[in-house]
Amino acid sequence: VIQAVFFGICVLTDLSSLLTKGNDSQEQERQLKKLIALRDWVMAVLAFPVGVFVVTMFWSIYIYDRELVYPKLLDNFIPAWLNHGMHTTVLPFVLIEMRTTHHQYPSRSCGLAAVCTFAVGYILWVCWIHHVTGVWVYPLLEHLSQGVKIIFFAAVTVIINIFYLVGEVLNNYIWDTQK
């Protein structure tokens, strides 16, 4: 969903840029700048770190034991192409976007705070779903003790923050910028 929203914003930004080209309207220019800032923020804080996290974690766990993250039963409901759409194509598309469009990253402290907020919010949502339904969204969590879950959730938050930093460094390297 994050990737679909992000790339929707990208399309909207590109269309708005094309439609306002040559127009002297300061209001349209101001709105376009806001849209570009939103696009850049979503890329920096959500699309890149979460996208890279999903691909690396999903396929690492899948290779180790697919039942922990994507039980064979799901093959009956979710076709292979859709699985790859959710867990594979995210990475090349987000890397292509990073290579073709310069993104202005927020300050490091604001970016890391936003990534942490998202990670903690998502973890709380996963725990809430378990609380209400008695079923873990990710079967892996069924096999972890309470203490190990806390360590796992903390590690996940740290890893997503590392991916944020990797995205910032990669963006600066590709576009040869320095802070």
Side-chain angles (χ1 to χ4, degrees), residues 49-98:
V50 174
V52 174
F53 177 82
V54 165
V55 172
T56 55
M57 287 297 287
F58 177 84
W59 288 110
S60 297
I61 295 169
Y62 186 96
I63 289 167
Y64 174 74
D65 181 357
R66 78 170 284 176
E67 294 297 317
L68 294 176
V69 71
Y70 193 80
K72 224 172 184 38
L73 172 72
L74 291 177
D75 290 342
N76 298 325
F77 308 101
I78 301 174
W81 65 267
L82 185 54
N83 180 24
H84 283 291
M86 293 184 297
H87 300 111
T88 307
T89 60
V90 170
L91 184 59
F93 286 142
V94 82
L95 290 174
I96 290 167
E97 170 64 21
M98 184 171 276

Side-chain angles (χ1 to χ4, degrees), residues 8 18 23 39 42 48 50 60 64 66 71 73-74 77 84 105 107 113 117 131 139 149 151 154 160 162 177-178:
L18 287 171
N23 192 335
R39 178 204 64 196
V42 172
F48 187 85
V50 174
S60 297
Y64 174 74
R66 78 170 284 176
L73 172 72
L74 291 177
F77 308 101
H84 283 291
Y105 269 60
S107 71
T117 300
H131 174 74
K149 273 187 196 88
I151 293 167
I160 290 177
I162 290 169
T177 61
Q178 293 182 359

Side-chain angles (χ1 to χ4, degrees), residues 10-141:
C10 289
V11 169
L12 186 59
T13 303
D14 291 346
L15 287 175
S16 297
S17 180
L18 287 171
L19 294 173
T20 60
K21 200 171 255 182
N23 192 335
D24 290 338
S25 170
Q26 289 181 345
E27 178 60 24
Q28 285 181 341
E29 187 67 28
R30 191 173 65 80
Q31 294 300 328
L32 180 59
K33 285 182 181 182
K34 284 183 182 180
L35 197 54
I36 290 169
L38 175 64
R39 178 204 64 196
D40 291 350
W41 187 89
V42 172
M43 172 65 167
V45 171
L46 297 173
F48 187 85
V50 174
V52 174
F53 177 82
V54 165
V55 172
T56 55
M57 287 297 287
F58 177 84
W59 288 110
S60 297
I61 295 169
Y62 186 96
I63 289 167
Y64 174 74
D65 181 357
R66 78 170 284 176
E67 294 297 317
L68 294 176
V69 71
Y70 193 80
K72 224 172 184 38
L73 172 72
L74 291 177
D75 290 342
N76 298 325
F77 308 101
I78 301 174
W81 65 267
L82 185 54
N83 180 24
H84 283 291
M86 293 184 297
H87 300 111
T88 307
T89 60
V90 170
L91 184 59
F93 286 142
V94 82
L95 290 174
I96 290 167
E97 170 64 21
M98 184 171 276
R99 179 62 185 101
T100 58
T101 306
H102 177 258
H103 295 277
Q104 185 68 41
Y105 269 60
S107 71
R108 187 167 285 169
S109 58
C110 288
L112 290 172
V115 171
C116 279
T117 300
F118 172 80
V120 169
Y122 188 78
I123 289 165
L124 291 173
W125 178 246
V126 167
C127 291
W128 176 254
I129 291 170
H130 177 262
H131 174 74
V132 170
T133 67
V135 176
W136 286 105
V137 176
Y138 303 105
L140 167 71
L141 297 172

